[in-house]
Amino acid sequence: MDKDLAYYVIRYFGHLMNAQEKQAYSHLAATMKATGRDDFAAQEEAKSSKIHSRWLSTDLDVLRLANNGYQAFLANTADRILNENGDRVFLNLCPKCGALAKTPKARQCRLCKYDWHASKNLTE
């Protein structure tokens, strides 16, 4: 999955993550804040951080989701969200070039710079 698409889905439709995915997201965020890395060794190292350790998980299913790092987690979770909730996810695509806009409400393409603010709807 494209990195930008995965980030977009998690950022704007993260409420569609299940409980374990939300815990894995917190686990990885705490790991990266504590160590600056997201690999398995960093996850183990983060346990010694008094500040960040409370967001770490010991649940095996959560750790399995986080096992391959942040980018893999984002891609896998975004893929699941799109497959199971595709009708609830709005992909804001540029009407001119088809690129994914930066946000669901954006009206200017970040790639081709096309501006569709004056449009009455998002599909021209």
Side-chain angles (χ1 to χ4, degrees), residues 3 6-7 10-11 24-29 32 37-39 43 65-77:
K3 187 174 157 181
Y7 178 79
I10 298 301
R11 171 74 175 94
Y25 187 81
S26 292
H27 177 87
L28 286 166
M32 290 187 297
R37 304 183 333 268
D38 65 350
D39 55 78
Q43 293 176 41
L65 290 172
N67 190 42
N68 294 321
Y70 184 71
Q71 291 301 324
F73 169 77
L74 286 184
N76 293 334
T77 303

PDB file of all heavy atoms in Angstrom, residues 3 6-7 10-11 24-29 32 37-39 43 65-77:
ATOM      1  N   LYS A   3       2.347   4.653   0.981  1.00  0.00           N
ATOM      2  CA  LYS A   3       2.592   5.235   2.293  1.00  0.00           C
ATOM      3  C   LYS A   3       1.656   6.414   2.584  1.00  0.00           C
ATOM      4  O   LYS A   3       1.126   6.538   3.685  1.00  0.00           O
ATOM      5  CB  LYS A   3       4.057   5.672   2.340  1.00  0.00           C
ATOM      6  CG  LYS A   3       4.552   6.149   3.655  1.00  0.00           C
ATOM      7  CD  LYS A   3       6.059   6.385   3.528  1.00  0.00           C
ATOM      8  CE  LYS A   3       6.587   7.335   4.535  1.00  0.00           C
ATOM      9  NZ  LYS A   3       8.016   7.569   4.402  1.00  0.00           N
ATOM     10  N   ALA A   6      -1.904   5.095   3.275  1.00  0.00           N
ATOM     11  CA  ALA A   6      -1.979   4.469   4.597  1.00  0.00           C
ATOM     12  C   ALA A   6      -2.040   5.547   5.689  1.00  0.00           C
ATOM     13  O   ALA A   6      -2.880   5.469   6.598  1.00  0.00           O
ATOM     14  CB  ALA A   6      -0.780   3.553   4.816  1.00  0.00           C
ATOM     15  N   TYR A   7      -1.189   6.556   5.588  1.00  0.00           N
ATOM     16  CA  TYR A   7      -1.185   7.636   6.571  1.00  0.00           C
ATOM     17  C   TYR A   7      -2.530   8.372   6.571  1.00  0.00           C
ATOM     18  O   TYR A   7      -3.094   8.667   7.623  1.00  0.00           O
ATOM     19  CB  TYR A   7      -0.044   8.614   6.299  1.00  0.00           C
ATOM     20  CG  TYR A   7      -0.040   9.775   7.253  1.00  0.00           C
ATOM     21  CD1 TYR A   7       0.462   9.640   8.540  1.00  0.00           C
ATOM     22  CD2 TYR A   7      -0.578  11.005   6.883  1.00  0.00           C
ATOM     23  CE1 TYR A   7       0.437  10.701   9.440  1.00  0.00           C
ATOM     24  CE2 TYR A   7      -0.609  12.069   7.771  1.00  0.00           C
ATOM     25  CZ  TYR A   7      -0.105  11.905   9.042  1.00  0.00           C
ATOM     26  OH  TYR A   7      -0.149  12.962   9.924  1.00  0.00           O
ATOM     27  N   ILE A  10      -5.305   6.229   8.269  1.00  0.00           N
ATOM     28  CA  ILE A  10      -5.143   6.165   9.723  1.00  0.00           C
ATOM     29  C   ILE A  10      -5.387   7.531  10.354  1.00  0.00           C
ATOM     30  O   ILE A  10      -6.045   7.646  11.388  1.00  0.00           O
ATOM     31  CB  ILE A  10      -3.742   5.636  10.105  1.00  0.00           C
ATOM     32  CG1 ILE A  10      -3.535   4.217   9.582  1.00  0.00           C
ATOM     33  CG2 ILE A  10      -3.524   5.708  11.614  1.00  0.00           C
ATOM     34  CD1 ILE A  10      -4.518   3.192  10.086  1.00  0.00           C
ATOM     35  N   ARG A  11      -4.888   8.584   9.742  1.00  0.00           N
ATOM     36  CA  ARG A  11      -5.024   9.934  10.302  1.00  0.00           C
ATOM     37  C   ARG A  11      -6.476  10.395  10.344  1.00  0.00           C
ATOM     38  O   ARG A  11      -6.940  10.941  11.336  1.00  0.00           O
ATOM     39  CB  ARG A  11      -4.176  10.910   9.475  1.00  0.00           C
ATOM     40  CG  ARG A  11      -4.378  12.379   9.795  1.00  0.00           C
ATOM     41  CD  ARG A  11      -3.724  12.749  11.123  1.00  0.00           C
ATOM     42  NE  ARG A  11      -3.799  14.151  11.374  1.00  0.00           N
ATOM     43  CZ  ARG A  11      -4.772  14.743  12.082  1.00  0.00           C
ATOM     44  NH1 ARG A  11      -5.737  14.032  12.585  1.00  0.00           N
ATOM     45  NH2 ARG A  11      -4.767  16.043  12.278  1.00  0.00           N
ATOM     46  N   ALA A  24      -2.043  -1.142  19.612  1.00  0.00           N
ATOM     47  CA  ALA A  24      -0.778  -1.301  18.878  1.00  0.00           C
ATOM     48  C   ALA A  24      -0.257   0.051  18.417  1.00  0.00           C
ATOM     49  O   ALA A  24       0.951   0.312  18.462  1.00  0.00           O
ATOM     50  CB  ALA A  24      -0.970  -2.238  17.687  1.00  0.00           C
ATOM     51  N   TYR A  25      -1.150   0.931  17.994  1.00  0.00           N
ATOM     52  CA  TYR A  25      -0.765   2.281  17.572  1.00  0.00           C
ATOM     53  C   TYR A  25      -0.131   3.030  18.745  1.00  0.00           C
ATOM     54  O   TYR A  25       0.925   3.652  18.607  1.00  0.00           O
ATOM     55  CB  TYR A  25      -1.995   3.022  17.041  1.00  0.00           C
ATOM     56  CG  TYR A  25      -1.699   4.361  16.432  1.00  0.00           C
ATOM     57  CD1 TYR A  25      -1.225   4.468  15.130  1.00  0.00           C
ATOM     58  CD2 TYR A  25      -1.905   5.535  17.150  1.00  0.00           C
ATOM     59  CE1 TYR A  25      -0.963   5.700  14.553  1.00  0.00           C
ATOM     60  CE2 TYR A  25      -1.641   6.766  16.589  1.00  0.00           C
ATOM     61  CZ  TYR A  25      -1.168   6.844  15.287  1.00  0.00           C
ATOM     62  OH  TYR A  25      -0.912   8.069  14.745  1.00  0.00           O
ATOM     63  N   SER A  26      -0.759   2.961  19.918  1.00  0.00           N
ATOM     64  CA  SER A  26      -0.209   3.610  21.118  1.00  0.00           C
ATOM     65  C   SER A  26       1.119   2.986  21.510  1.00  0.00           C
ATOM     66  O   SER A  26       2.054   3.695  21.897  1.00  0.00           O
ATOM     67  CB  SER A  26      -1.192   3.489  22.287  1.00  0.00           C
ATOM     68  OG  SER A  26      -2.335   4.240  22.043  1.00  0.00           O
ATOM     69  N   HIS A  27       1.194   1.678  21.405  1.00  0.00           N
ATOM     70  CA  HIS A  27       2.423   0.951  21.735  1.00  0.00           C
ATOM     71  C   HIS A  27       3.572   1.420  20.849  1.00  0.00           C
ATOM     72  O   HIS A  27       4.664   1.723  21.341  1.00  0.00           O
ATOM     73  CB  HIS A  27       2.173  -0.551  21.556  1.00  0.00           C
ATOM     74  CG  HIS A  27       3.366  -1.410  21.790  1.00  0.00           C
ATOM     75  ND1 HIS A  27       3.711  -1.879  23.037  1.00  0.00           N
ATOM     76  CD2 HIS A  27       4.305  -1.886  20.934  1.00  0.00           C
ATOM     77  CE1 HIS A  27       4.806  -2.606  22.940  1.00  0.00           C
ATOM     78  NE2 HIS A  27       5.193  -2.623  21.673  1.00  0.00           N
ATOM     79  N   LEU A  28       3.326   1.507  19.555  1.00  0.00           N
ATOM     80  CA  LEU A  28       4.368   1.941  18.622  1.00  0.00           C
ATOM     81  C   LEU A  28       4.732   3.407  18.815  1.00  0.00           C
ATOM     82  O   LEU A  28       5.901   3.783  18.745  1.00  0.00           O
ATOM     83  CB  LEU A  28       3.939   1.672  17.181  1.00  0.00           C
ATOM     84  CG  LEU A  28       3.977   0.202  16.768  1.00  0.00           C
ATOM     85  CD1 LEU A  28       3.220  -0.018  15.472  1.00  0.00           C
ATOM     86  CD2 LEU A  28       5.416  -0.270  16.639  1.00  0.00           C
ATOM     87  N   ALA A  29       3.732   4.252  19.070  1.00  0.00           N
ATOM     88  CA  ALA A  29       4.007   5.672  19.300  1.00  0.00           C
ATOM     89  C   ALA A  29       4.873   5.849  20.542  1.00  0.00           C
ATOM     90  O   ALA A  29       5.845   6.620  20.535  1.00  0.00           O
ATOM     91  CB  ALA A  29       2.701   6.446  19.441  1.00  0.00           C
ATOM     92  N   MET A  32       8.449   4.716  19.781  1.00  0.00           N
ATOM     93  CA  MET A  32       9.208   5.685  18.987  1.00  0.00           C
ATOM     94  C   MET A  32       9.573   6.923  19.803  1.00  0.00           C
ATOM     95  O   MET A  32      10.657   7.481  19.637  1.00  0.00           O
ATOM     96  CB  MET A  32       8.439   6.053  17.721  1.00  0.00           C
ATOM     97  CG  MET A  32       8.382   4.900  16.731  1.00  0.00           C
ATOM     98  SD  MET A  32       7.671   5.308  15.125  1.00  0.00           S
ATOM     99  CE  MET A  32       6.025   5.760  15.567  1.00  0.00           C
ATOM    100  N   ARG A  37      13.047   4.720  17.556  1.00  0.00           N
ATOM    101  CA  ARG A  37      12.967   3.613  16.594  1.00  0.00           C
ATOM    102  C   ARG A  37      11.672   2.855  16.831  1.00  0.00           C
ATOM    103  O   ARG A  37      10.997   3.052  17.837  1.00  0.00           O
ATOM    104  CB  ARG A  37      14.155   2.653  16.776  1.00  0.00           C
ATOM    105  CG  ARG A  37      15.504   3.311  16.674  1.00  0.00           C
ATOM    106  CD  ARG A  37      16.689   2.336  16.784  1.00  0.00           C
ATOM    107  NE  ARG A  37      16.492   1.116  17.530  1.00  0.00           N
ATOM    108  CZ  ARG A  37      16.741   0.954  18.831  1.00  0.00           C
ATOM    109  NH1 ARG A  37      17.159   1.974  19.552  1.00  0.00           N
ATOM    110  NH2 ARG A  37      16.573  -0.210  19.424  1.00  0.00           N
ATOM    111  N   ASP A  38      11.341   1.949  15.891  1.00  0.00           N
ATOM    112  CA  ASP A  38      10.111   1.180  16.050  1.00  0.00           C
ATOM    113  C   ASP A  38      10.311  -0.328  15.900  1.00  0.00           C
ATOM    114  O   ASP A  38       9.360  -1.081  15.901  1.00  0.00           O
ATOM    115  CB  ASP A  38       9.051   1.654  15.060  1.00  0.00           C
ATOM    116  CG  ASP A  38       9.436   1.402  13.614  1.00  0.00           C
ATOM    117  OD1 ASP A  38      10.599   1.032  13.346  1.00  0.00           O
ATOM    118  OD2 ASP A  38       8.573   1.580  12.739  1.00  0.00           O
ATOM    119  N   ASP A  39      11.556  -0.782  15.805  1.00  0.00           N
ATOM    120  CA  ASP A  39      11.821  -2.208  15.623  1.00  0.00           C
ATOM    121  C   ASP A  39      11.558  -2.975  16.927  1.00  0.00           C
ATOM    122  O   ASP A  39      11.302  -2.390  17.977  1.00  0.00           O
ATOM    123  CB  ASP A  39      13.267  -2.427  15.145  1.00  0.00           C
ATOM    124  CG  ASP A  39      14.273  -1.782  16.070  1.00  0.00           C
ATOM    125  OD1 ASP A  39      14.554  -2.366  17.132  1.00  0.00           O
ATOM    126  OD2 ASP A  39      14.764  -0.684  15.731  1.00  0.00           O
ATOM    127  N   GLN A  43      11.164  -1.831  20.941  1.00  0.00           N
ATOM    128  CA  GLN A  43       9.978  -2.082  21.748  1.00  0.00           C
ATOM    129  C   GLN A  43      10.369  -2.670  23.106  1.00  0.00           C
ATOM    130  O   GLN A  43       9.795  -2.314  24.133  1.00  0.00           O
ATOM    131  CB  GLN A  43       9.016  -2.996  21.004  1.00  0.00           C
ATOM    132  CG  GLN A  43       8.413  -2.338  19.769  1.00  0.00           C
ATOM    133  CD  GLN A  43       7.528  -3.256  18.975  1.00  0.00           C
ATOM    134  OE1 GLN A  43       6.763  -4.018  19.530  1.00  0.00           O
ATOM    135  NE2 GLN A  43       7.618  -3.196  17.652  1.00  0.00           N
ATOM    136  N   LEU A  65       0.643  -7.300  16.038  1.00  0.00           N
ATOM    137  CA  LEU A  65       0.334  -6.203  15.104  1.00  0.00           C
ATOM    138  C   LEU A  65       1.498  -5.224  14.995  1.00  0.00           C
ATOM    139  O   LEU A  65       1.756  -4.670  13.925  1.00  0.00           O
ATOM    140  CB  LEU A  65      -0.922  -5.457  15.554  1.00  0.00           C
ATOM    141  CG  LEU A  65      -2.255  -6.189  15.427  1.00  0.00           C
ATOM    142  CD1 LEU A  65      -3.362  -5.396  16.096  1.00  0.00           C
ATOM    143  CD2 LEU A  65      -2.591  -6.437  13.970  1.00  0.00           C
ATOM    144  N   ALA A  66       2.204  -5.005  16.097  1.00  0.00           N
ATOM    145  CA  ALA A  66       3.292  -4.024  16.138  1.00  0.00           C
ATOM    146  C   ALA A  66       4.639  -4.618  15.762  1.00  0.00           C
ATOM    147  O   ALA A  66       5.614  -3.883  15.586  1.00  0.00           O
ATOM    148  CB  ALA A  66       3.371  -3.415  17.536  1.00  0.00           C
ATOM    149  N   ASN A  67       4.709  -5.906  15.622  1.00  0.00           N
ATOM    150  CA  ASN A  67       5.973  -6.624  15.469  1.00  0.00           C
ATOM    151  C   ASN A  67       6.857  -6.122  14.324  1.00  0.00           C
ATOM    152  O   ASN A  67       8.063  -6.060  14.464  1.00  0.00           O
ATOM    153  CB  ASN A  67       5.699  -8.111  15.299  1.00  0.00           C
ATOM    154  CG  ASN A  67       6.948  -8.935  15.364  1.00  0.00           C
ATOM    155  OD1 ASN A  67       7.807  -8.681  16.202  1.00  0.00           O
ATOM    156  ND2 ASN A  67       7.061  -9.907  14.492  1.00  0.00           N
ATOM    157  N   ASN A  68       6.276  -5.752  13.201  1.00  0.00           N
ATOM    158  CA  ASN A  68       7.069  -5.361  12.028  1.00  0.00           C
ATOM    159  C   ASN A  68       7.310  -3.860  11.915  1.00  0.00           C
ATOM    160  O   ASN A  68       7.782  -3.376  10.895  1.00  0.00           O
ATOM    161  CB  ASN A  68       6.420  -5.881  10.752  1.00  0.00           C
ATOM    162  CG  ASN A  68       6.452  -7.389  10.694  1.00  0.00           C
ATOM    163  OD1 ASN A  68       7.437  -8.006  11.081  1.00  0.00           O
ATOM    164  ND2 ASN A  68       5.362  -7.990  10.250  1.00  0.00           N
ATOM    165  N   GLY A  69       6.944  -3.107  12.942  1.00  0.00           N
ATOM    166  CA  GLY A  69       7.209  -1.674  12.947  1.00  0.00           C
ATOM    167  C   GLY A  69       6.033  -0.819  12.506  1.00  0.00           C
ATOM    168  O   GLY A  69       4.977  -1.314  12.100  1.00  0.00           O
ATOM    169  N   TYR A  70       6.252   0.468  12.596  1.00  0.00           N
ATOM    170  CA  TYR A  70       5.205   1.468  12.374  1.00  0.00           C
ATOM    171  C   TYR A  70       4.664   1.472  10.947  1.00  0.00           C
ATOM    172  O   TYR A  70       3.453   1.460  10.735  1.00  0.00           O
ATOM    173  CB  TYR A  70       5.762   2.845  12.752  1.00  0.00           C
ATOM    174  CG  TYR A  70       4.775   3.974  12.673  1.00  0.00           C
ATOM    175  CD1 TYR A  70       3.746   4.084  13.599  1.00  0.00           C
ATOM    176  CD2 TYR A  70       4.881   4.945  11.687  1.00  0.00           C
ATOM    177  CE1 TYR A  70       2.837   5.126  13.541  1.00  0.00           C
ATOM    178  CE2 TYR A  70       3.983   5.995  11.623  1.00  0.00           C
ATOM    179  CZ  TYR A  70       2.954   6.074  12.552  1.00  0.00           C
ATOM    180  OH  TYR A  70       2.055   7.111  12.482  1.00  0.00           O
ATOM    181  N   GLN A  71       5.545   1.514   9.955  1.00  0.00           N
ATOM    182  CA  GLN A  71       5.092   1.591   8.563  1.00  0.00           C
ATOM    183  C   GLN A  71       4.287   0.356   8.170  1.00  0.00           C
ATOM    184  O   GLN A  71       3.252   0.464   7.508  1.00  0.00           O
ATOM    185  CB  GLN A  71       6.277   1.792   7.611  1.00  0.00           C
ATOM    186  CG  GLN A  71       6.940   3.142   7.726  1.00  0.00           C
ATOM    187  CD  GLN A  71       5.995   4.298   7.454  1.00  0.00           C
ATOM    188  OE1 GLN A  71       5.110   4.223   6.612  1.00  0.00           O
ATOM    189  NE2 GLN A  71       6.161   5.376   8.198  1.00  0.00           N
ATOM    190  N   ALA A  72       4.748  -0.821   8.566  1.00  0.00           N
ATOM    191  CA  ALA A  72       4.018  -2.059   8.256  1.00  0.00           C
ATOM    192  C   ALA A  72       2.672  -2.070   8.967  1.00  0.00           C
ATOM    193  O   ALA A  72       1.663  -2.486   8.393  1.00  0.00           O
ATOM    194  CB  ALA A  72       4.849  -3.270   8.650  1.00  0.00           C
ATOM    195  N   PHE A  73       2.650  -1.592  10.204  1.00  0.00           N
ATOM    196  CA  PHE A  73       1.398  -1.517  10.948  1.00  0.00           C
ATOM    197  C   PHE A  73       0.413  -0.589  10.239  1.00  0.00           C
ATOM    198  O   PHE A  73      -0.759  -0.937  10.060  1.00  0.00           O
ATOM    199  CB  PHE A  73       1.634  -1.034  12.379  1.00  0.00           C
ATOM    200  CG  PHE A  73       0.360  -0.681  13.093  1.00  0.00           C
ATOM    201  CD1 PHE A  73      -0.461  -1.672  13.594  1.00  0.00           C
ATOM    202  CD2 PHE A  73      -0.029   0.636  13.226  1.00  0.00           C
ATOM    203  CE1 PHE A  73      -1.662  -1.357  14.225  1.00  0.00           C
ATOM    204  CE2 PHE A  73      -1.215   0.971  13.853  1.00  0.00           C
ATOM    205  CZ  PHE A  73      -2.036  -0.033  14.353  1.00  0.00           C
ATOM    206  N   LEU A  74       0.884   0.604   9.837  1.00  0.00           N
ATOM    207  CA  LEU A  74       0.006   1.536   9.135  1.00  0.00           C
ATOM    208  C   LEU A  74      -0.565   0.915   7.865  1.00  0.00           C
ATOM    209  O   LEU A  74      -1.769   1.011   7.608  1.00  0.00           O
ATOM    210  CB  LEU A  74       0.759   2.820   8.771  1.00  0.00           C
ATOM    211  CG  LEU A  74       1.079   3.819   9.864  1.00  0.00           C
ATOM    212  CD1 LEU A  74       1.746   5.054   9.267  1.00  0.00           C
ATOM    213  CD2 LEU A  74      -0.135   4.210  10.654  1.00  0.00           C
ATOM    214  N   ALA A  75       0.284   0.303   7.074  1.00  0.00           N
ATOM    215  CA  ALA A  75      -0.147  -0.288   5.807  1.00  0.00           C
ATOM    216  C   ALA A  75      -1.164  -1.409   6.035  1.00  0.00           C
ATOM    217  O   ALA A  75      -2.209  -1.448   5.371  1.00  0.00           O
ATOM    218  CB  ALA A  75       1.053  -0.812   5.028  1.00  0.00           C
ATOM    219  N   ASN A  76      -0.886  -2.291   6.965  1.00  0.00           N
ATOM    220  CA  ASN A  76      -1.794  -3.414   7.228  1.00  0.00           C
ATOM    221  C   ASN A  76      -3.130  -2.951   7.793  1.00  0.00           C
ATOM    222  O   ASN A  76      -4.195  -3.443   7.398  1.00  0.00           O
ATOM    223  CB  ASN A  76      -1.140  -4.418   8.185  1.00  0.00           C
ATOM    224  CG  ASN A  76       0.044  -5.113   7.565  1.00  0.00           C
ATOM    225  OD1 ASN A  76       0.136  -5.254   6.355  1.00  0.00           O
ATOM    226  ND2 ASN A  76       0.959  -5.556   8.403  1.00  0.00           N
ATOM    227  N   THR A  77      -3.085  -1.999   8.708  1.00  0.00           N
ATOM    228  CA  THR A  77      -4.314  -1.507   9.327  1.00  0.00           C
ATOM    229  C   THR A  77      -5.146  -0.704   8.333  1.00  0.00           C
ATOM    230  O   THR A  77      -6.362  -0.868   8.258  1.00  0.00           O
ATOM    231  CB  THR A  77      -3.981  -0.665  10.573  1.00  0.00           C
ATOM    232  OG1 THR A  77      -3.208  -1.472  11.467  1.00  0.00           O
ATOM    233  CG2 THR A  77      -5.231  -0.191  11.280  1.00  0.00           C
TER     234      THR A  77
END
